[in-house]
Amino acid sequence: MQNQKTKVMGTGFIFIITYLAYTSIYISRLNLSIATPELTAAGIMDEAQIGLLGSIFSVVFAIGRLLNGVLNDKLTPWIMLCTGLAAVGLSNIVSGIFMSFAVMAVLWGINAYAQSMLWGSVLRAMSSVYSPDKASKRTAIMVSSVAVGNLLGILVNTWIISLTGKIELAFIIPGAINLVMCPLTFIALKKIPFEPAKGKRSILPINLLKDKSIRTMLVPAFCHGVMKDNISLWMAAFFVTSFSIDLKKSSWFLLFIPAIGLIGRMCYSFVYQLCGKDENKVSFFGFIVCGISAAVLSLPFKHPILSMVCLGVIYAAVSIINTSILSIYPLSFAKSGNIATVSGLMDFGVYFAAGVGSAIYGVVIANFGYFAMFVSWVALSILSLFFLPSKKK
């Protein structure tokens, strides 16, 4: 039942502001990837340090999603969203002012934890404002904010660096955007209906691991997580170093990747229907596509257009898998009040894997190039096929 404030505002306004708020955090995540060639060229950081920053972000984000999942189910969404947006904005601004590896290692961890506060509350907002059927449809659209955020992250940060030549502004300006979204989010979500999860809960959702379907789902969550954020982290450096393409020119290659990811997320409902409304079948299809595309990237022959297409296809497939595991699957726990908690547990697996992968790939790429990373993606895709449940929960 919607309260009077929600009726006056309109669910459309709530959806739009929530969408924009979540989109804005990706501008403050992709900035590190876009700035990587400039940071290494200026001698501010090397590839191993960039990889470590990616690892710090992913591991802290993973732990944050695990811890914040319970809070997302207990606290009204605007509290978590506004607090997270403010912390993301401030950590990015300060990163731009004091740009060094030691300082950014701390601030990038703060940025990661702040970003981990948001998605669970986004899901709770959708389930609070909409009926169960509409919540699934709106959530499938909401997840496109990830790809839109990646597109904007590339465009905005590339434009900032190319136009001004100042790396620090690629952190300061995105941070300012996050801060602007705070009051707008407060206005939109302050009065939405919200029923907190009942009963005392441990901050760590250990009891949920008794559910076999959750334990099984963590394996494909882990495997697709290794690919998901490492595409975003390394794509700029991959094109610059592999094909000697400058940042301004490579931005068009980079834009293709999240653009295809956006198409993948927007097509999710269609693919979901084709798979009989079984999110596990959708994921199975996605991992097959990832494995084939990664195998092509592993071949000795390399071409920038072919590489762009393959990375874009992998990103689209991973985006589809991500929607199934982190958004659609958790909605099945609405009756128990565990939507955000289950989503947080899944995201923990995703980003813990991404963090481990970033640290390893930073060293591997520096010594052996990108071949080993792509081969590992083939193996992870095959492994995931054996752990996806054959039927819906």
Side-chain angles (χ1 to χ4, degrees), residues 4-33:
Q4 188 62 34
K5 186 69 173 179
T6 304
K7 290 179 180 178
V8 171
M9 284 271 180
T11 57
F13 177 75
I14 293 172
F15 181 87
I16 290 170
I17 295 301
T18 305
Y19 189 100
L20 291 175
Y22 198 73
T23 298
S24 73
I25 67 171
Y26 281 86
I27 301 175
S28 297
R29 184 185 303 190
L30 265 290
N31 48 1
L32 177 62
S33 177

PDB file of all heavy atoms in Angstrom, residues 4-33:
ATOM      1  N   GLN A   4       0.544   8.485   1.166  1.00  0.00           N
ATOM      2  CA  GLN A   4       0.172   9.670   0.425  1.00  0.00           C
ATOM      3  C   GLN A   4       1.356  10.321  -0.274  1.00  0.00           C
ATOM      4  O   GLN A   4       1.253  10.803  -1.390  1.00  0.00           O
ATOM      5  CB  GLN A   4      -0.486  10.684   1.377  1.00  0.00           C
ATOM      6  CG  GLN A   4      -1.087  11.901   0.677  1.00  0.00           C
ATOM      7  CD  GLN A   4      -2.205  11.532  -0.275  1.00  0.00           C
ATOM      8  OE1 GLN A   4      -2.959  10.595  -0.027  1.00  0.00           O
ATOM      9  NE2 GLN A   4      -2.303  12.250  -1.386  1.00  0.00           N
ATOM     10  N   LYS A   5       2.521  10.335   0.383  1.00  0.00           N
ATOM     11  CA  LYS A   5       3.707  10.979  -0.203  1.00  0.00           C
ATOM     12  C   LYS A   5       4.120  10.289  -1.492  1.00  0.00           C
ATOM     13  O   LYS A   5       4.457  10.930  -2.476  1.00  0.00           O
ATOM     14  CB  LYS A   5       4.851  10.955   0.813  1.00  0.00           C
ATOM     15  CG  LYS A   5       6.087  11.736   0.360  1.00  0.00           C
ATOM     16  CD  LYS A   5       5.825  13.209   0.335  1.00  0.00           C
ATOM     17  CE  LYS A   5       7.103  13.992   0.039  1.00  0.00           C
ATOM     18  NZ  LYS A   5       6.860  15.439  -0.008  1.00  0.00           N
ATOM     19  N   THR A   6       4.051   8.937  -1.469  1.00  0.00           N
ATOM     20  CA  THR A   6       4.420   8.190  -2.659  1.00  0.00           C
ATOM     21  C   THR A   6       3.455   8.469  -3.798  1.00  0.00           C
ATOM     22  O   THR A   6       3.839   8.597  -4.948  1.00  0.00           O
ATOM     23  CB  THR A   6       4.450   6.678  -2.362  1.00  0.00           C
ATOM     24  OG1 THR A   6       5.341   6.441  -1.284  1.00  0.00           O
ATOM     25  CG2 THR A   6       4.907   5.888  -3.569  1.00  0.00           C
ATOM     26  N   LYS A   7       2.157   8.601  -3.473  1.00  0.00           N
ATOM     27  CA  LYS A   7       1.161   8.894  -4.499  1.00  0.00           C
ATOM     28  C   LYS A   7       1.399  10.267  -5.108  1.00  0.00           C
ATOM     29  O   LYS A   7       1.269  10.462  -6.308  1.00  0.00           O
ATOM     30  CB  LYS A   7      -0.241   8.820  -3.900  1.00  0.00           C
ATOM     31  CG  LYS A   7      -0.683   7.408  -3.534  1.00  0.00           C
ATOM     32  CD  LYS A   7      -2.070   7.419  -2.920  1.00  0.00           C
ATOM     33  CE  LYS A   7      -2.525   6.007  -2.542  1.00  0.00           C
ATOM     34  NZ  LYS A   7      -3.846   6.015  -1.896  1.00  0.00           N
ATOM     35  N   VAL A   8       1.731  11.243  -4.256  1.00  0.00           N
ATOM     36  CA  VAL A   8       1.961  12.594  -4.738  1.00  0.00           C
ATOM     37  C   VAL A   8       3.200  12.644  -5.628  1.00  0.00           C
ATOM     38  O   VAL A   8       3.209  13.238  -6.700  1.00  0.00           O
ATOM     39  CB  VAL A   8       2.113  13.584  -3.553  1.00  0.00           C
ATOM     40  CG1 VAL A   8       2.568  14.950  -4.054  1.00  0.00           C
ATOM     41  CG2 VAL A   8       0.806  13.705  -2.794  1.00  0.00           C
ATOM     42  N   MET A   9       4.272  12.008  -5.160  1.00  0.00           N
ATOM     43  CA  MET A   9       5.524  11.998  -5.914  1.00  0.00           C
ATOM     44  C   MET A   9       5.360  11.223  -7.227  1.00  0.00           C
ATOM     45  O   MET A   9       5.848  11.623  -8.264  1.00  0.00           O
ATOM     46  CB  MET A   9       6.618  11.323  -5.083  1.00  0.00           C
ATOM     47  CG  MET A   9       7.165  12.183  -3.977  1.00  0.00           C
ATOM     48  SD  MET A   9       8.515  13.148  -4.591  1.00  0.00           S
ATOM     49  CE  MET A   9       8.945  14.054  -3.115  1.00  0.00           C
ATOM     50  N   GLY A  10       4.686  10.102  -7.144  1.00  0.00           N
ATOM     51  CA  GLY A  10       4.601   9.224  -8.289  1.00  0.00           C
ATOM     52  C   GLY A  10       5.746   8.232  -8.278  1.00  0.00           C
ATOM     53  O   GLY A  10       6.879   8.587  -7.993  1.00  0.00           O
ATOM     54  N   THR A  11       5.428   6.973  -8.571  1.00  0.00           N
ATOM     55  CA  THR A  11       6.472   5.948  -8.561  1.00  0.00           C
ATOM     56  C   THR A  11       7.496   6.182  -9.659  1.00  0.00           C
ATOM     57  O   THR A  11       8.633   5.758  -9.551  1.00  0.00           O
ATOM     58  CB  THR A  11       5.849   4.552  -8.723  1.00  0.00           C
ATOM     59  OG1 THR A  11       5.096   4.514  -9.937  1.00  0.00           O
ATOM     60  CG2 THR A  11       4.928   4.228  -7.554  1.00  0.00           C
ATOM     61  N   GLY A  12       7.067   6.854 -10.743  1.00  0.00           N
ATOM     62  CA  GLY A  12       8.005   7.150 -11.817  1.00  0.00           C
ATOM     63  C   GLY A  12       9.135   8.057 -11.369  1.00  0.00           C
ATOM     64  O   GLY A  12      10.302   7.835 -11.709  1.00  0.00           O
ATOM     65  N   PHE A  13       8.812   9.073 -10.571  1.00  0.00           N
ATOM     66  CA  PHE A  13       9.826   9.992 -10.057  1.00  0.00           C
ATOM     67  C   PHE A  13      10.792   9.248  -9.138  1.00  0.00           C
ATOM     68  O   PHE A  13      12.011   9.432  -9.227  1.00  0.00           O
ATOM     69  CB  PHE A  13       9.153  11.132  -9.286  1.00  0.00           C
ATOM     70  CG  PHE A  13      10.117  12.099  -8.658  1.00  0.00           C
ATOM     71  CD1 PHE A  13      10.789  13.036  -9.429  1.00  0.00           C
ATOM     72  CD2 PHE A  13      10.366  12.067  -7.290  1.00  0.00           C
ATOM     73  CE1 PHE A  13      11.688  13.928  -8.851  1.00  0.00           C
ATOM     74  CE2 PHE A  13      11.262  12.951  -6.705  1.00  0.00           C
ATOM     75  CZ  PHE A  13      11.923  13.883  -7.492  1.00  0.00           C
ATOM     76  N   ILE A  14      10.245   8.389  -8.290  1.00  0.00           N
ATOM     77  CA  ILE A  14      11.080   7.605  -7.377  1.00  0.00           C
ATOM     78  C   ILE A  14      12.033   6.720  -8.176  1.00  0.00           C
ATOM     79  O   ILE A  14      13.231   6.627  -7.872  1.00  0.00           O
ATOM     80  CB  ILE A  14      10.200   6.750  -6.445  1.00  0.00           C
ATOM     81  CG1 ILE A  14       9.411   7.650  -5.496  1.00  0.00           C
ATOM     82  CG2 ILE A  14      11.047   5.746  -5.655  1.00  0.00           C
ATOM     83  CD1 ILE A  14       8.380   6.923  -4.670  1.00  0.00           C
ATOM     84  N   PHE A  15      11.507   6.071  -9.214  1.00  0.00           N
ATOM     85  CA  PHE A  15      12.339   5.180 -10.027  1.00  0.00           C
ATOM     86  C   PHE A  15      13.457   5.955 -10.717  1.00  0.00           C
ATOM     87  O   PHE A  15      14.618   5.533 -10.718  1.00  0.00           O
ATOM     88  CB  PHE A  15      11.476   4.469 -11.071  1.00  0.00           C
ATOM     89  CG  PHE A  15      12.248   3.516 -11.944  1.00  0.00           C
ATOM     90  CD1 PHE A  15      12.455   2.206 -11.540  1.00  0.00           C
ATOM     91  CD2 PHE A  15      12.791   3.923 -13.156  1.00  0.00           C
ATOM     92  CE1 PHE A  15      13.184   1.317 -12.327  1.00  0.00           C
ATOM     93  CE2 PHE A  15      13.517   3.065 -13.953  1.00  0.00           C
ATOM     94  CZ  PHE A  15      13.712   1.752 -13.540  1.00  0.00           C
ATOM     95  N   ILE A  16      13.123   7.090 -11.312  1.00  0.00           N
ATOM     96  CA  ILE A  16      14.113   7.876 -12.071  1.00  0.00           C
ATOM     97  C   ILE A  16      15.247   8.356 -11.169  1.00  0.00           C
ATOM     98  O   ILE A  16      16.435   8.232 -11.511  1.00  0.00           O
ATOM     99  CB  ILE A  16      13.438   9.071 -12.767  1.00  0.00           C
ATOM    100  CG1 ILE A  16      12.546   8.579 -13.909  1.00  0.00           C
ATOM    101  CG2 ILE A  16      14.488  10.048 -13.307  1.00  0.00           C
ATOM    102  CD1 ILE A  16      11.665   9.642 -14.511  1.00  0.00           C
ATOM    103  N   ILE A  17      14.905   8.912 -10.008  1.00  0.00           N
ATOM    104  CA  ILE A  17      15.944   9.418  -9.113  1.00  0.00           C
ATOM    105  C   ILE A  17      16.809   8.280  -8.577  1.00  0.00           C
ATOM    106  O   ILE A  17      18.042   8.402  -8.506  1.00  0.00           O
ATOM    107  CB  ILE A  17      15.322  10.203  -7.937  1.00  0.00           C
ATOM    108  CG1 ILE A  17      14.621  11.458  -8.464  1.00  0.00           C
ATOM    109  CG2 ILE A  17      16.390  10.585  -6.918  1.00  0.00           C
ATOM    110  CD1 ILE A  17      15.525  12.421  -9.215  1.00  0.00           C
ATOM    111  N   THR A  18      16.181   7.161  -8.233  1.00  0.00           N
ATOM    112  CA  THR A  18      16.947   6.006  -7.759  1.00  0.00           C
ATOM    113  C   THR A  18      17.870   5.498  -8.852  1.00  0.00           C
ATOM    114  O   THR A  18      19.033   5.149  -8.605  1.00  0.00           O
ATOM    115  CB  THR A  18      15.998   4.877  -7.309  1.00  0.00           C
ATOM    116  OG1 THR A  18      15.085   5.380  -6.332  1.00  0.00           O
ATOM    117  CG2 THR A  18      16.786   3.724  -6.687  1.00  0.00           C
ATOM    118  N   TYR A  19      17.373   5.467 -10.079  1.00  0.00           N
ATOM    119  CA  TYR A  19      18.169   5.035 -11.231  1.00  0.00           C
ATOM    120  C   TYR A  19      19.378   5.942 -11.417  1.00  0.00           C
ATOM    121  O   TYR A  19      20.513   5.473 -11.585  1.00  0.00           O
ATOM    122  CB  TYR A  19      17.289   5.054 -12.479  1.00  0.00           C
ATOM    123  CG  TYR A  19      17.914   4.430 -13.704  1.00  0.00           C
ATOM    124  CD1 TYR A  19      17.582   3.129 -14.076  1.00  0.00           C
ATOM    125  CD2 TYR A  19      18.815   5.131 -14.506  1.00  0.00           C
ATOM    126  CE1 TYR A  19      18.141   2.543 -15.206  1.00  0.00           C
ATOM    127  CE2 TYR A  19      19.374   4.557 -15.632  1.00  0.00           C
ATOM    128  CZ  TYR A  19      19.034   3.262 -15.980  1.00  0.00           C
ATOM    129  OH  TYR A  19      19.602   2.691 -17.091  1.00  0.00           O
ATOM    130  N   LEU A  20      19.146   7.251 -11.386  1.00  0.00           N
ATOM    131  CA  LEU A  20      20.241   8.208 -11.575  1.00  0.00           C
ATOM    132  C   LEU A  20      21.253   8.137 -10.433  1.00  0.00           C
ATOM    133  O   LEU A  20      22.464   8.250 -10.662  1.00  0.00           O
ATOM    134  CB  LEU A  20      19.674   9.628 -11.685  1.00  0.00           C
ATOM    135  CG  LEU A  20      18.865   9.934 -12.944  1.00  0.00           C
ATOM    136  CD1 LEU A  20      18.263  11.336 -12.862  1.00  0.00           C
ATOM    137  CD2 LEU A  20      19.722   9.793 -14.197  1.00  0.00           C
ATOM    138  N   ALA A  21      20.756   7.957  -9.220  1.00  0.00           N
ATOM    139  CA  ALA A  21      21.658   7.882  -8.067  1.00  0.00           C
ATOM    140  C   ALA A  21      22.590   6.685  -8.190  1.00  0.00           C
ATOM    141  O   ALA A  21      23.805   6.795  -7.977  1.00  0.00           O
ATOM    142  CB  ALA A  21      20.844   7.797  -6.776  1.00  0.00           C
ATOM    143  N   TYR A  22      22.021   5.533  -8.554  1.00  0.00           N
ATOM    144  CA  TYR A  22      22.866   4.338  -8.659  1.00  0.00           C
ATOM    145  C   TYR A  22      23.798   4.437  -9.866  1.00  0.00           C
ATOM    146  O   TYR A  22      24.938   3.984  -9.814  1.00  0.00           O
ATOM    147  CB  TYR A  22      22.020   3.071  -8.748  1.00  0.00           C
ATOM    148  CG  TYR A  22      22.831   1.846  -8.418  1.00  0.00           C
ATOM    149  CD1 TYR A  22      23.208   1.592  -7.103  1.00  0.00           C
ATOM    150  CD2 TYR A  22      23.277   0.978  -9.411  1.00  0.00           C
ATOM    151  CE1 TYR A  22      23.992   0.490  -6.787  1.00  0.00           C
ATOM    152  CE2 TYR A  22      24.051  -0.126  -9.098  1.00  0.00           C
ATOM    153  CZ  TYR A  22      24.418  -0.362  -7.784  1.00  0.00           C
ATOM    154  OH  TYR A  22      25.201  -1.434  -7.483  1.00  0.00           O
ATOM    155  N   THR A  23      23.326   5.045 -10.953  1.00  0.00           N
ATOM    156  CA  THR A  23      24.175   5.237 -12.126  1.00  0.00           C
ATOM    157  C   THR A  23      25.397   6.086 -11.800  1.00  0.00           C
ATOM    158  O   THR A  23      26.508   5.818 -12.270  1.00  0.00           O
ATOM    159  CB  THR A  23      23.369   5.917 -13.253  1.00  0.00           C
ATOM    160  OG1 THR A  23      22.275   5.074 -13.637  1.00  0.00           O
ATOM    161  CG2 THR A  23      24.247   6.173 -14.471  1.00  0.00           C
ATOM    162  N   SER A  24      25.209   7.097 -10.951  1.00  0.00           N
ATOM    163  CA  SER A  24      26.283   8.057 -10.671  1.00  0.00           C
ATOM    164  C   SER A  24      27.500   7.425 -10.003  1.00  0.00           C
ATOM    165  O   SER A  24      28.621   7.905 -10.158  1.00  0.00           O
ATOM    166  CB  SER A  24      25.761   9.203  -9.804  1.00  0.00           C
ATOM    167  OG  SER A  24      25.532   8.794  -8.461  1.00  0.00           O
ATOM    168  N   ILE A  25      27.304   6.332  -9.265  1.00  0.00           N
ATOM    169  CA  ILE A  25      28.450   5.757  -8.554  1.00  0.00           C
ATOM    170  C   ILE A  25      29.423   5.082  -9.513  1.00  0.00           C
ATOM    171  O   ILE A  25      30.606   4.940  -9.213  1.00  0.00           O
ATOM    172  CB  ILE A  25      28.021   4.767  -7.452  1.00  0.00           C
ATOM    173  CG1 ILE A  25      27.376   3.515  -8.041  1.00  0.00           C
ATOM    174  CG2 ILE A  25      27.110   5.454  -6.441  1.00  0.00           C
ATOM    175  CD1 ILE A  25      27.124   2.415  -7.021  1.00  0.00           C
ATOM    176  N   TYR A  26      28.937   4.659 -10.688  1.00  0.00           N
ATOM    177  CA  TYR A  26      29.846   4.020 -11.647  1.00  0.00           C
ATOM    178  C   TYR A  26      30.776   5.029 -12.297  1.00  0.00           C
ATOM    179  O   TYR A  26      31.867   4.670 -12.744  1.00  0.00           O
ATOM    180  CB  TYR A  26      29.045   3.225 -12.680  1.00  0.00           C
ATOM    181  CG  TYR A  26      28.610   1.901 -12.132  1.00  0.00           C
ATOM    182  CD1 TYR A  26      27.438   1.790 -11.398  1.00  0.00           C
ATOM    183  CD2 TYR A  26      29.402   0.769 -12.277  1.00  0.00           C
ATOM    184  CE1 TYR A  26      27.051   0.578 -10.842  1.00  0.00           C
ATOM    185  CE2 TYR A  26      29.030  -0.450 -11.729  1.00  0.00           C
ATOM    186  CZ  TYR A  26      27.853  -0.535 -11.008  1.00  0.00           C
ATOM    187  OH  TYR A  26      27.485  -1.732 -10.443  1.00  0.00           O
ATOM    188  N   ILE A  27      30.350   6.294 -12.355  1.00  0.00           N
ATOM    189  CA  ILE A  27      31.250   7.332 -12.847  1.00  0.00           C
ATOM    190  C   ILE A  27      32.422   7.473 -11.880  1.00  0.00           C
ATOM    191  O   ILE A  27      33.546   7.773 -12.276  1.00  0.00           O
ATOM    192  CB  ILE A  27      30.500   8.673 -12.982  1.00  0.00           C
ATOM    193  CG1 ILE A  27      29.315   8.514 -13.947  1.00  0.00           C
ATOM    194  CG2 ILE A  27      31.435   9.772 -13.486  1.00  0.00           C
ATOM    195  CD1 ILE A  27      28.442   9.745 -14.042  1.00  0.00           C
ATOM    196  N   SER A  28      32.157   7.213 -10.601  1.00  0.00           N
ATOM    197  CA  SER A  28      33.190   7.281  -9.571  1.00  0.00           C
ATOM    198  C   SER A  28      33.862   5.944  -9.323  1.00  0.00           C
ATOM    199  O   SER A  28      34.534   5.750  -8.319  1.00  0.00           O
ATOM    200  CB  SER A  28      32.574   7.791  -8.263  1.00  0.00           C
ATOM    201  OG  SER A  28      32.092   9.098  -8.415  1.00  0.00           O
ATOM    202  N   ARG A  29      33.672   5.014 -10.244  1.00  0.00           N
ATOM    203  CA  ARG A  29      34.357   3.722 -10.185  1.00  0.00           C
ATOM    204  C   ARG A  29      35.197   3.518 -11.435  1.00  0.00           C
ATOM    205  O   ARG A  29      36.336   3.060 -11.369  1.00  0.00           O
ATOM    206  CB  ARG A  29      33.332   2.585 -10.043  1.00  0.00           C
ATOM    207  CG  ARG A  29      33.973   1.224  -9.868  1.00  0.00           C
ATOM    208  CD  ARG A  29      32.952   0.091  -9.860  1.00  0.00           C
ATOM    209  NE  ARG A  29      31.926   0.225  -8.849  1.00  0.00           N
ATOM    210  CZ  ARG A  29      31.050  -0.736  -8.538  1.00  0.00           C
ATOM    211  NH1 ARG A  29      31.088  -1.892  -9.185  1.00  0.00           N
ATOM    212  NH2 ARG A  29      30.129  -0.528  -7.615  1.00  0.00           N
ATOM    213  N   LEU A  30      34.628   3.884 -12.597  1.00  0.00           N
ATOM    214  CA  LEU A  30      35.338   3.741 -13.869  1.00  0.00           C
ATOM    215  C   LEU A  30      36.458   4.760 -14.039  1.00  0.00           C
ATOM    216  O   LEU A  30      37.318   4.600 -14.902  1.00  0.00           O
ATOM    217  CB  LEU A  30      34.361   3.869 -15.027  1.00  0.00           C
ATOM    218  CG  LEU A  30      33.779   2.568 -15.610  1.00  0.00           C
ATOM    219  CD1 LEU A  30      34.833   1.789 -16.353  1.00  0.00           C
ATOM    220  CD2 LEU A  30      33.144   1.710 -14.533  1.00  0.00           C
ATOM    221  N   ASN A  31      36.445   5.809 -13.208  1.00  0.00           N
ATOM    222  CA  ASN A  31      37.486   6.836 -13.357  1.00  0.00           C
ATOM    223  C   ASN A  31      38.888   6.265 -13.165  1.00  0.00           C
ATOM    224  O   ASN A  31      39.835   6.680 -13.825  1.00  0.00           O
ATOM    225  CB  ASN A  31      37.236   8.021 -12.422  1.00  0.00           C
ATOM    226  CG  ASN A  31      36.929   7.600 -10.991  1.00  0.00           C
ATOM    227  OD1 ASN A  31      36.912   6.430 -10.653  1.00  0.00           O
ATOM    228  ND2 ASN A  31      36.656   8.590 -10.154  1.00  0.00           N
ATOM    229  N   LEU A  32      39.043   5.286 -12.283  1.00  0.00           N
ATOM    230  CA  LEU A  32      40.360   4.679 -12.091  1.00  0.00           C
ATOM    231  C   LEU A  32      40.811   3.955 -13.343  1.00  0.00           C
ATOM    232  O   LEU A  32      41.973   4.060 -13.754  1.00  0.00           O
ATOM    233  CB  LEU A  32      40.339   3.713 -10.904  1.00  0.00           C
ATOM    234  CG  LEU A  32      41.652   2.954 -10.646  1.00  0.00           C
ATOM    235  CD1 LEU A  32      42.780   3.930 -10.322  1.00  0.00           C
ATOM    236  CD2 LEU A  32      41.477   1.942  -9.518  1.00  0.00           C
ATOM    237  N   SER A  33      39.898   3.220 -13.984  1.00  0.00           N
ATOM    238  CA  SER A  33      40.244   2.496 -15.208  1.00  0.00           C
ATOM    239  C   SER A  33      40.647   3.451 -16.317  1.00  0.00           C
ATOM    240  O   SER A  33      41.662   3.255 -16.997  1.00  0.00           O
ATOM    241  CB  SER A  33      39.047   1.646 -15.658  1.00  0.00           C
ATOM    242  OG  SER A  33      39.322   0.994 -16.877  1.00  0.00           O
TER     243      SER A  33
END
